[in-house]
């Protein structure tokens, strides 16, 4: 059981850009009553997909069961500092490397030091109380199976190194999200991870040698198409030829010769 405690006048005030951003998201997406009926026949507004850097952020996961474990297994890939707190924590969570586990009760004001909170206990009333507290204190929170008190939704994730794809149904059906995620898993080869990182290097080279943004984009598009036709492997010799060709075109245009 989680006991609420008054924080007093020295309540933590969160004024960083990250917290302001999450606060505005909560205001715009969860507290607004904007309906799609004006444009799409009455459905509530969909959620905007936004990707944030969680490296070294403190994430508190409340709950010690399978739901918490699923969230942890997704979060741990993003180098955040995860603390799990629950009166009873399953052995699978205890076996996860790189997280801190606290098998105990807690007070809500202990969440004030968190950058993000995941409420995944087995009690809906407790989860709702956690969500309410976090919203009142501008702490980004995801509450399992309760989008109304969540300030962000936890997506289904497909990951190929730096390539990350998130899937959400706006909280309507985790089963649909899971099915779509599984479909994407089968469609996206693992080689796309290496390809994505290598394209980042070619992007830097192109930004130096090709000043015209349109030509630079054409060059990179041609490299990626060549790689896809080559089983998602970049042929460096061909890629450099492509860059050289567009760099020469860029130079001619800069001189007014095109």
């Amino acid at each position: 059981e989680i006991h609420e405690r008054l924080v007093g006048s020295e309540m933590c005030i969160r004024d960083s850009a990250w917290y302001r951003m999450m606060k505005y998201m909560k205001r715009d997406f969860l507290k607004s009553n904007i309906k799609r009926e004006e444009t799409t026949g009455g459905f509530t507004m969909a959620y905007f997909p936004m990707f944030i850097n969680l490296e070294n952020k403190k994430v508190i996961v409340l709950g010690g069961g399978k739901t918490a474990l699923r969230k942890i297994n997704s979060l741990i890939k993003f180098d955040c500092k995860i603390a799990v707190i629950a009166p009873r924590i399953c052995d699978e969570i205890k076996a996860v490397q790189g997280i801190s586990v606290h098998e105990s009760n807690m007070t809500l004001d202990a969440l004030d030091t968190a950058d993000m909170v995941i409420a995944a206990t087995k009690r809906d009333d407790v989860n709702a109380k956690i969500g309410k507290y976090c919203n009142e204190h501008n702490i980004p929170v995801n509450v399992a199976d309760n989008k109304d008190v969540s300030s962000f939704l936890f997506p289904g994730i497909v990951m190929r190194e730096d390539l990350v794809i998130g899937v959400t149904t706006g909280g309507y059906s985790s089963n649909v999200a899971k099915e779509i995620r599984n479909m994407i898993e089968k469609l996206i080869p693992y080689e796309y991870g290496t390809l994505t990182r290598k394209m980042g290097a070619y992007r830097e080279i192109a930004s130096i040698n090709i000043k015209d943004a349109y030509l630079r984009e054409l060059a990179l598009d041609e490299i990626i198409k060549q790689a896809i036709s080559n089983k998602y492997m970049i042929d460096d010799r061909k890629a450099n030829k492509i860059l050289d060709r567009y760099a020469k075109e860029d130079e001619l245009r800069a001189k007014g010769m095109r």
Side-chain angles (χ1 to χ4, degrees):
E1 183 179 356
I2 296 178
H3 305 280
E4 187 169 1
R5 187 166 68 191
L6 293 176
V7 180
S9 59
E10 294 184 1
M11 175 174 57
C12 177
I13 299 174
R14 301 182 180 275
D15 58 0
S16 68
W18 197 76
Y19 284 106
R20 288 200 304 274
M21 175 178 65
M22 295 303 291
K23 180 180 179 181
Y24 295 150
M25 285 180 64
K26 175 183 70 177
R27 179 196 67 190
D28 293 340
F29 289 112
L30 298 181
K31 291 192 174 181
S32 69
N33 290 318
I34 298 173
K35 301 294 181 181
R36 280 191 180 173
E37 55 190 15
E38 299 177 358
T39 56
T40 58
F43 295 101
T44 56
M45 191 66 71
Y47 286 78
F48 178 78
M50 186 182 73
F51 294 86
I52 59 175
N53 184 6
L54 286 182
E55 186 176 6
N56 293 323
K57 298 290 185 182
K58 182 178 180 180
V59 180
I60 295 180
V61 178
L62 300 172
K66 292 184 178 180
T67 300
L69 177 62
R70 286 197 300 271
K71 309 279 188 179
I72 292 165
N73 284 336
S74 292
L75 286 166
I76 201 167
K77 301 171 184 175
F78 297 93
D79 294 330
C80 51
K81 297 178 180 178
I82 301 172
V84 184
I85 306 173
R88 288 179 296 279
I89 297 175
C90 68
D91 291 337
E92 290 87 347
I93 290 178
K94 292 178 180 178
V96 176
Q97 299 294 314
I99 67 174
S100 60
V101 175
H102 309 274
E103 207 163 36
S104 64
N105 292 319
M106 65 164 293
T107 56
L108 285 174
D109 59 357
L111 302 177
D112 290 343
T113 61
D115 294 306
M116 179 184 290
V117 171
I118 306 295
T121 76
K122 295 180 180 180
R123 290 179 52 181
D124 292 340
D125 59 328
V126 172
N127 288 340
K129 183 180 289 188
I130 295 166
K132 181 175 182 293
Y133 181 88
C134 289
N135 285 325
E136 289 173 349
H137 294 78
N138 298 323
I139 307 168
V141 62
N142 173 260
V143 180
D145 297 323
N146 192 338
K147 68 174 184 175
D148 293 331
V149 291
S150 297
S151 58
F152 71 94
L153 299 184
F154 206 100
I157 295 173
V158 176
M159 194 170 182
R160 302 288 185 266
E161 297 182 26
D162 292 306
L163 174 63
V164 180
I165 303 169
V167 179
T168 180
T169 60
Y172 283 106
S173 175
S174 60
N175 302 92
V176 171
K178 181 171 65 175
E179 184 66 21
I180 297 297
R181 185 188 66 79
N182 290 340
M183 291 170 61
I184 295 173
E185 279 278 6
K186 296 174 183 177
L187 287 171
I188 307 297
Y190 282 93
E191 289 83 358
Y192 261 103
T194 302
L195 176 59
T196 299
R197 183 162 292 188
K198 200 162 186 179
M199 281 300 298
Y202 275 108
R203 181 186 177 190
E204 291 185 10
I205 296 171
S207 66
I208 295 171
N209 297 313
I210 307 172
K211 301 304 180 185
D212 185 284
Y214 177 70
L215 288 177
R216 186 165 60 244
E217 194 67 17
L218 287 178
L220 294 172
D221 283 345
E222 192 169 329
I223 292 173
I224 191 71
K225 288 175 183 177
Q226 184 275 325
I228 291 173
S229 67
N230 190 39
K231 297 182 180 180
Y232 314 102
M233 298 287 290
I234 291 179
D235 184 317
D236 291 322
R237 183 178 58 83
K238 291 182 179 180
N240 285 319
K241 282 187 176 181
I242 292 169
L243 289 178
D244 287 343
R245 174 158 43 88
Y246 279 96
K248 290 176 181 178
E249 178 67 20
D250 182 58
E251 185 178 349
L252 291 173
R253 290 193 181 191
K255 293 177 179 180
M257 298 176 66
R258 290 290 192 187

